[in-house]
CSV table of all heavy atoms in Angstrom, one decimal:
chain,number,residue,atom,x,y,z
H,1,GLU,N,-50.0,-43.6,-9.8
H,1,GLU,CA,-49.6,-43.3,-8.5
H,1,GLU,C,-48.1,-43.6,-8.3
H,1,GLU,O,-47.3,-42.8,-7.7
H,1,GLU,CB,-50.4,-44.1,-7.5
H,1,GLU,CG,-50.1,-43.8,-6.0
H,1,GLU,CD,-51.0,-42.8,-5.4
H,1,GLU,OE1,-52.2,-42.8,-5.6
H,1,GLU,OE2,-50.4,-41.9,-4.7
H,2,LYS,N,-47.7,-44.7,-8.8
H,2,LYS,CA,-46.3,-45.1,-8.7
H,2,LYS,C,-45.4,-44.1,-9.5
H,2,LYS,O,-44.3,-43.7,-8.9
H,2,LYS,CB,-46.1,-46.5,-9.3
H,2,LYS,CG,-44.7,-47.0,-9.3
H,2,LYS,CD,-44.6,-48.4,-10.0
H,2,LYS,CE,-43.1,-48.8,-10.1
H,2,LYS,NZ,-43.0,-50.2,-10.7
H,3,LEU,N,-45.7,-43.7,-10.7
H,3,LEU,CA,-44.9,-42.8,-11.4
H,3,LEU,C,-44.9,-41.4,-10.8
H,3,LEU,O,-43.9,-40.7,-10.8
H,3,LEU,CB,-45.4,-42.7,-12.9
H,3,LEU,CG,-45.4,-43.9,-13.7
H,3,LEU,CD1,-46.0,-43.7,-15.1
H,3,LEU,CD2,-43.9,-44.4,-13.9
H,4,ALA,N,-46.0,-41.0,-10.3
H,4,ALA,CA,-46.1,-39.6,-9.7
H,4,ALA,C,-45.3,-39.6,-8.4
H,4,ALA,O,-44.8,-38.5,-8.0
H,4,ALA,CB,-47.6,-39.3,-9.4
H,5,SER,N,-45.1,-40.7,-7.7
H,5,SER,CA,-44.3,-40.7,-6.5
H,5,SER,C,-42.8,-40.6,-6.7
H,5,SER,O,-42.0,-40.3,-5.8
H,5,SER,CB,-44.6,-42.0,-5.7
H,5,SER,OG,-44.0,-43.1,-6.4
H,6,ASP,N,-42.4,-40.7,-8.0
H,6,ASP,CA,-41.0,-40.5,-8.3
H,6,ASP,C,-40.6,-39.0,-8.1
H,6,ASP,O,-41.3,-38.1,-8.6
H,6,ASP,CB,-40.7,-40.8,-9.8
H,6,ASP,CG,-39.3,-40.7,-10.3
H,6,ASP,OD1,-38.5,-39.9,-9.7
H,6,ASP,OD2,-38.9,-41.5,-11.2
H,7,LYS,N,-39.7,-38.7,-7.2
H,7,LYS,CA,-39.3,-37.4,-6.8
H,7,LYS,C,-38.9,-36.5,-8.0
H,7,LYS,O,-39.0,-35.3,-8.0
H,7,LYS,CB,-38.2,-37.4,-5.8
H,7,LYS,CG,-38.6,-38.0,-4.5
H,7,LYS,CD,-39.8,-37.4,-3.8
H,7,LYS,CE,-40.1,-38.0,-2.5
H,7,LYS,NZ,-41.4,-37.5,-1.9
H,8,SER,N,-38.5,-37.1,-9.1
H,8,SER,CA,-38.1,-36.3,-10.3
H,8,SER,C,-39.3,-36.0,-11.2
H,8,SER,O,-39.1,-35.3,-12.2
H,8,SER,CB,-37.0,-37.1,-11.1
H,8,SER,OG,-35.9,-37.2,-10.3
H,9,ALA,N,-40.4,-36.6,-10.9
H,9,ALA,CA,-41.6,-36.4,-11.8
H,9,ALA,C,-42.2,-35.0,-11.4
H,9,ALA,O,-42.7,-34.8,-10.3
H,9,ALA,CB,-42.6,-37.5,-11.6
H,10,LYS,N,-42.2,-34.1,-12.3
H,10,LYS,CA,-42.6,-32.7,-12.1
H,10,LYS,C,-44.0,-32.4,-12.7
H,10,LYS,O,-44.7,-31.5,-12.2
H,10,LYS,CB,-41.6,-31.7,-12.5
H,10,LYS,CG,-40.2,-31.9,-11.9
H,10,LYS,CD,-40.3,-31.8,-10.4
H,10,LYS,CE,-38.9,-32.0,-9.8
H,10,LYS,NZ,-38.9,-32.0,-8.3
H,11,ILE,N,-44.3,-33.0,-13.9
H,11,ILE,CA,-45.5,-32.6,-14.6
H,11,ILE,C,-46.1,-33.9,-15.1
H,11,ILE,O,-45.5,-34.9,-15.5
H,11,ILE,CB,-45.1,-31.8,-15.9
H,11,ILE,CG1,-44.7,-30.4,-15.4
H,11,ILE,CG2,-46.2,-31.7,-16.9
H,11,ILE,CD1,-44.2,-29.5,-16.5
H,12,LEU,N,-47.5,-33.9,-15.1
H,12,LEU,CA,-48.3,-34.9,-15.9
H,12,LEU,C,-48.9,-34.1,-17.0
H,12,LEU,O,-49.6,-33.1,-16.9
H,12,LEU,CB,-49.4,-35.4,-15.0
H,12,LEU,CG,-50.5,-36.2,-15.8
H,12,LEU,CD1,-50.0,-37.4,-16.5
H,12,LEU,CD2,-51.7,-36.5,-14.9
H,13,LEU,N,-48.5,-34.5,-18.2
H,13,LEU,CA,-49.0,-33.9,-19.5
H,13,LEU,C,-50.3,-34.7,-19.9
H,13,LEU,O,-50.2,-35.8,-20.4
H,13,LEU,CB,-47.9,-34.0,-20.5
H,13,LEU,CG,-48.2,-33.3,-21.9
H,13,LEU,CD1,-48.9,-32.0,-21.8
H,13,LEU,CD2,-46.9,-33.2,-22.7
H,14,LEU,N,-51.4,-34.0,-19.6
H,14,LEU,CA,-52.7,-34.7,-19.8
H,14,LEU,C,-53.3,-34.2,-21.1
H,14,LEU,O,-53.2,-33.1,-21.5
H,14,LEU,CB,-53.6,-34.2,-18.6
H,14,LEU,CG,-55.1,-34.7,-18.7
H,14,LEU,CD1,-55.2,-36.2,-18.5
H,14,LEU,CD2,-55.9,-34.0,-17.6
H,15,CYS,N,-54.0,-35.1,-21.8
H,15,CYS,CA,-54.8,-34.8,-23.0
H,15,CYS,C,-56.2,-35.0,-22.7
H,15,CYS,O,-56.7,-36.1,-22.5
H,15,CYS,CB,-54.3,-35.8,-24.1
H,15,CYS,SG,-54.6,-35.2,-25.8
H,16,ASN,N,-57.0,-33.9,-22.7
H,16,ASN,CA,-58.4,-33.9,-22.2
H,16,ASN,C,-59.2,-33.0,-23.1
H,16,ASN,O,-59.2,-31.8,-23.0
H,16,ASN,CB,-58.4,-33.4,-20.8
H,16,ASN,CG,-59.8,-33.2,-20.3
H,16,ASN,OD1,-60.7,-34.1,-20.5
H,16,ASN,ND2,-60.1,-32.1,-19.6
H,17,PRO,N,-60.0,-33.7,-24.1
H,17,PRO,CA,-60.2,-35.1,-24.4
H,17,PRO,C,-58.9,-35.7,-25.0
H,17,PRO,O,-58.1,-34.9,-25.5
H,17,PRO,CB,-61.3,-35.1,-25.4
H,17,PRO,CG,-62.1,-33.8,-25.2
H,17,PRO,CD,-61.0,-32.8,-24.8
H,18,HIS,N,-58.9,-37.0,-25.0
H,18,HIS,CA,-57.7,-37.7,-25.4
H,18,HIS,C,-57.5,-38.0,-26.9
H,18,HIS,O,-58.4,-38.6,-27.5
H,18,HIS,CB,-57.5,-39.0,-24.6
H,18,HIS,CG,-56.2,-39.6,-24.6
H,18,HIS,ND1,-55.2,-39.3,-23.7
H,18,HIS,CD2,-55.6,-40.4,-25.5
H,18,HIS,CE1,-54.1,-39.9,-24.0
H,18,HIS,NE2,-54.3,-40.6,-25.1
H,19,ASN,N,-56.4,-37.6,-27.4
H,19,ASN,CA,-56.0,-37.9,-28.8
H,19,ASN,C,-54.8,-38.9,-28.7
H,19,ASN,O,-53.8,-38.5,-28.1
H,19,ASN,CB,-55.6,-36.6,-29.5
H,19,ASN,CG,-54.9,-36.8,-30.8
H,19,ASN,OD1,-55.0,-37.9,-31.4
H,19,ASN,ND2,-54.2,-35.8,-31.3
H,20,PRO,N,-54.9,-40.1,-29.2
H,20,PRO,CA,-55.9,-40.6,-30.2
H,20,PRO,C,-56.9,-41.6,-29.6
H,20,PRO,O,-57.7,-42.1,-30.4
H,20,PRO,CB,-55.0,-41.4,-31.2
H,20,PRO,CG,-53.9,-42.0,-30.3
H,20,PRO,CD,-53.7,-41.0,-29.2
H,21,ALA,N,-57.0,-41.8,-28.3
H,21,ALA,CA,-57.9,-42.8,-27.8
H,21,ALA,C,-59.4,-42.4,-27.9
H,21,ALA,O,-60.2,-43.3,-27.6
H,21,ALA,CB,-57.5,-43.1,-26.4
H,22,GLY,N,-59.7,-41.2,-28.1
H,22,GLY,CA,-61.1,-40.8,-28.3
H,22,GLY,C,-61.9,-40.6,-27.0
H,22,GLY,O,-63.1,-40.5,-27.0
H,23,ARG,N,-61.2,-40.7,-25.8
H,23,ARG,CA,-61.9,-40.6,-24.6
H,23,ARG,C,-62.1,-39.2,-24.1
H,23,ARG,O,-61.3,-38.3,-24.3
H,23,ARG,CB,-61.0,-41.3,-23.4
H,23,ARG,CG,-61.1,-42.8,-23.4
H,23,ARG,CD,-62.5,-43.3,-23.0
H,23,ARG,NE,-63.2,-42.6,-22.0
H,23,ARG,CZ,-63.0,-42.7,-20.7
H,23,ARG,NH1,-62.2,-43.7,-20.3
H,23,ARG,NH2,-63.7,-42.0,-19.8
H,24,VAL,N,-63.3,-39.0,-23.6
H,24,VAL,CA,-63.6,-37.7,-22.9
H,24,VAL,C,-63.6,-38.1,-21.4
H,24,VAL,O,-64.5,-38.8,-20.9
H,24,VAL,CB,-64.9,-37.1,-23.3
H,24,VAL,CG1,-65.3,-35.9,-22.5
H,24,VAL,CG2,-65.0,-36.8,-24.8
H,25,TRP,N,-62.5,-37.7,-20.7
H,25,TRP,CA,-62.4,-38.1,-19.3
H,25,TRP,C,-63.5,-37.6,-18.5
H,25,TRP,O,-63.9,-36.5,-18.6
H,25,TRP,CB,-61.0,-37.7,-18.8
H,25,TRP,CG,-59.8,-38.1,-19.6
H,25,TRP,CD1,-58.9,-37.3,-20.2
H,25,TRP,CD2,-59.4,-39.5,-19.8
H,25,TRP,NE1,-58.0,-38.1,-20.8
H,25,TRP,CE2,-58.3,-39.4,-20.6
H,25,TRP,CE3,-60.0,-40.7,-19.5
H,25,TRP,CZ2,-57.6,-40.6,-21.1
H,25,TRP,CZ3,-59.3,-41.9,-20.0
H,25,TRP,CH2,-58.1,-41.8,-20.8
H,26,THR,N,-64.0,-38.5,-17.6
H,26,THR,CA,-65.1,-38.1,-16.7
H,26,THR,C,-64.6,-37.2,-15.6
H,26,THR,O,-63.4,-37.2,-15.3
H,26,THR,CB,-65.8,-39.3,-16.1
H,26,THR,OG1,-64.9,-40.0,-15.3
H,26,THR,CG2,-66.3,-40.2,-17.2
H,27,LYS,N,-65.6,-36.6,-14.9
H,27,LYS,CA,-65.2,-35.8,-13.7
H,27,LYS,C,-64.5,-36.6,-12.7
H,27,LYS,O,-63.6,-36.2,-12.0
H,27,LYS,CB,-66.5,-35.1,-13.1
H,27,LYS,CG,-66.2,-34.2,-12.0
H,27,LYS,CD,-67.4,-33.5,-11.5
H,27,LYS,CE,-67.1,-32.5,-10.3
H,27,LYS,NZ,-68.3,-31.8,-9.9
H,28,ASP,N,-65.0,-37.9,-12.5
H,28,ASP,CA,-64.4,-38.8,-11.5
H,28,ASP,C,-63.0,-39.1,-11.8
H,28,ASP,O,-62.1,-39.2,-11.0
H,28,ASP,CB,-65.3,-40.0,-11.3
H,28,ASP,CG,-66.6,-39.8,-10.6
H,28,ASP,OD1,-66.7,-38.7,-9.9
H,28,ASP,OD2,-67.5,-40.6,-10.6
H,29,GLU,N,-62.8,-39.4,-13.1
H,29,GLU,CA,-61.4,-39.8,-13.5
H,29,GLU,C,-60.5,-38.6,-13.4
H,29,GLU,O,-59.3,-38.8,-12.9
H,29,GLU,CB,-61.4,-40.2,-15.0
H,29,GLU,CG,-62.1,-41.6,-15.2
H,29,GLU,CD,-62.3,-41.9,-16.7
H,29,GLU,OE1,-62.7,-41.0,-17.4
H,29,GLU,OE2,-62.0,-43.0,-17.1
H,30,LEU,N,-60.9,-37.4,-13.7
H,30,LEU,CA,-60.1,-36.2,-13.6
H,30,LEU,C,-59.8,-35.9,-12.1
H,30,LEU,O,-58.7,-35.5,-11.7
H,30,LEU,CB,-60.7,-35.0,-14.3
H,30,LEU,CG,-60.8,-35.2,-15.8
H,30,LEU,CD1,-61.6,-34.0,-16.4
H,30,LEU,CD2,-59.4,-35.2,-16.5
H,31,THR,N,-60.8,-36.1,-11.3
H,31,THR,CA,-60.6,-35.9,-9.8
H,31,THR,C,-59.6,-36.9,-9.3
H,31,THR,O,-58.8,-36.5,-8.5
H,31,THR,CB,-62.0,-36.1,-9.1
H,31,THR,OG1,-62.9,-35.1,-9.6
H,31,THR,CG2,-61.8,-35.9,-7.6
H,32,ALA,N,-59.6,-38.1,-9.7
H,32,ALA,CA,-58.6,-39.1,-9.3
H,32,ALA,C,-57.2,-38.7,-9.7
H,32,ALA,O,-56.3,-38.8,-8.9
H,32,ALA,CB,-59.0,-40.5,-9.8
H,33,ILE,N,-57.1,-38.2,-10.9
H,33,ILE,CA,-55.8,-37.6,-11.4
H,33,ILE,C,-55.4,-36.5,-10.5
H,33,ILE,O,-54.2,-36.4,-10.1
H,33,ILE,CB,-55.9,-37.2,-12.8
H,33,ILE,CG1,-56.1,-38.4,-13.8
H,33,ILE,CG2,-54.7,-36.4,-13.3
H,33,ILE,CD1,-56.4,-38.0,-15.2
H,34,ALA,N,-56.3,-35.6,-10.2
H,34,ALA,CA,-55.9,-34.4,-9.4
H,34,ALA,C,-55.5,-34.8,-8.0
H,34,ALA,O,-54.5,-34.2,-7.5
H,34,ALA,CB,-57.1,-33.4,-9.4
H,35,ASP,N,-56.2,-35.8,-7.4
H,35,ASP,CA,-55.8,-36.2,-6.1
H,35,ASP,C,-54.4,-36.8,-6.0
H,35,ASP,O,-53.6,-36.5,-5.1
H,35,ASP,CB,-56.9,-37.2,-5.6
H,35,ASP,CG,-58.2,-36.6,-5.2
H,35,ASP,OD1,-58.3,-35.4,-5.1
H,35,ASP,OD2,-59.2,-37.3,-5.2
H,36,ILE,N,-54.1,-37.7,-7.0
H,36,ILE,CA,-52.8,-38.3,-7.1
H,36,ILE,C,-51.7,-37.2,-7.2
H,36,ILE,O,-50.7,-37.2,-6.5
H,36,ILE,CB,-52.7,-39.3,-8.2
H,36,ILE,CG1,-53.6,-40.5,-7.9
H,36,ILE,CG2,-51.3,-39.7,-8.5
H,36,ILE,CD1,-53.7,-41.5,-9.0
H,37,CYS,N,-51.9,-36.3,-8.2
H,37,CYS,CA,-50.9,-35.3,-8.4
H,37,CYS,C,-50.8,-34.3,-7.3
H,37,CYS,O,-49.7,-33.8,-7.0
H,37,CYS,CB,-51.2,-34.5,-9.7
H,37,CYS,SG,-51.0,-35.6,-11.2
H,38,LYS,N,-51.9,-34.0,-6.6
H,38,LYS,CA,-51.8,-33.2,-5.4
H,38,LYS,C,-50.9,-33.8,-4.3
H,38,LYS,O,-50.1,-33.2,-3.7
H,38,LYS,CB,-53.2,-32.9,-4.9
H,38,LYS,CG,-53.3,-32.5,-3.4
H,38,LYS,CD,-52.7,-31.1,-3.2
H,38,LYS,CE,-52.9,-30.6,-1.8
H,38,LYS,NZ,-52.2,-29.4,-1.5
H,39,ARG,N,-51.1,-35.1,-4.1
H,39,ARG,CA,-50.4,-35.9,-3.1
H,39,ARG,C,-48.9,-35.8,-3.3
H,39,ARG,O,-48.1,-35.8,-2.4
H,39,ARG,CB,-50.9,-37.3,-3.0
H,39,ARG,CG,-52.1,-37.5,-2.2
H,39,ARG,CD,-52.3,-39.0,-1.8
H,39,ARG,NE,-52.4,-39.9,-2.9
H,39,ARG,CZ,-53.6,-40.1,-3.5
H,39,ARG,NH1,-54.7,-39.4,-3.1
H,39,ARG,NH2,-53.7,-40.9,-4.5
H,40,HIS,N,-48.5,-35.9,-4.6
H,40,HIS,CA,-47.1,-36.0,-5.0
H,40,HIS,C,-46.5,-34.7,-5.5
H,40,HIS,O,-45.4,-34.7,-6.0
H,40,HIS,CB,-46.9,-37.1,-5.9
H,40,HIS,CG,-47.3,-38.5,-5.4
H,40,HIS,ND1,-46.6,-39.1,-4.4
H,40,HIS,CD2,-48.4,-39.2,-5.7
H,40,HIS,CE1,-47.2,-40.3,-4.1
H,40,HIS,NE2,-48.3,-40.4,-4.8
H,41,ASP,N,-47.3,-33.6,-5.4
H,41,ASP,CA,-46.9,-32.3,-5.9
H,41,ASP,C,-46.4,-32.3,-7.3
H,41,ASP,O,-45.3,-31.8,-7.7
H,41,ASP,CB,-45.7,-31.7,-5.0
H,41,ASP,CG,-45.5,-30.2,-5.2
H,41,ASP,OD1,-46.5,-29.6,-5.6
H,41,ASP,OD2,-44.4,-29.7,-5.0
H,42,VAL,N,-47.2,-33.0,-8.2
H,42,VAL,CA,-47.0,-33.0,-9.6
H,42,VAL,C,-47.9,-32.0,-10.3
H,42,VAL,O,-49.1,-32.0,-10.0
H,42,VAL,CB,-47.2,-34.4,-10.2
H,42,VAL,CG1,-47.1,-34.4,-11.7
H,42,VAL,CG2,-46.1,-35.4,-9.6
């Protein structure tokens, strides 16, 4: 949230599923990302 609020932040480069952490992000996690990026127009 803090990083997305930076006015110069234009893109979040997401890895879904994540390499190298091996995570398959859940729907809830992805929804939280989408909500944050929507609020800050990222």
Side-chain angles (χ1 to χ4, degrees):
E1 182 93 47
K2 178 182 176 182
L3 296 177
S5 68
D6 186 326
K7 297 300 181 186
S8 296
K10 302 301 181 184
I11 289 176
L12 166 63
L13 181 43
L14 177 67
C15 201
N16 174 42
H18 193 91
N19 169 18
R23 279 297 317 278
V24 176
W25 305 120
T26 66
K27 184 176 181 180
D28 287 346
E29 288 170 317
L30 294 175
T31 299
I33 290 172
D35 288 341
I36 289 171
C37 290
K38 162 66 175 172
R39 278 197 298 277
H40 299 290
D41 195 28
V42 172

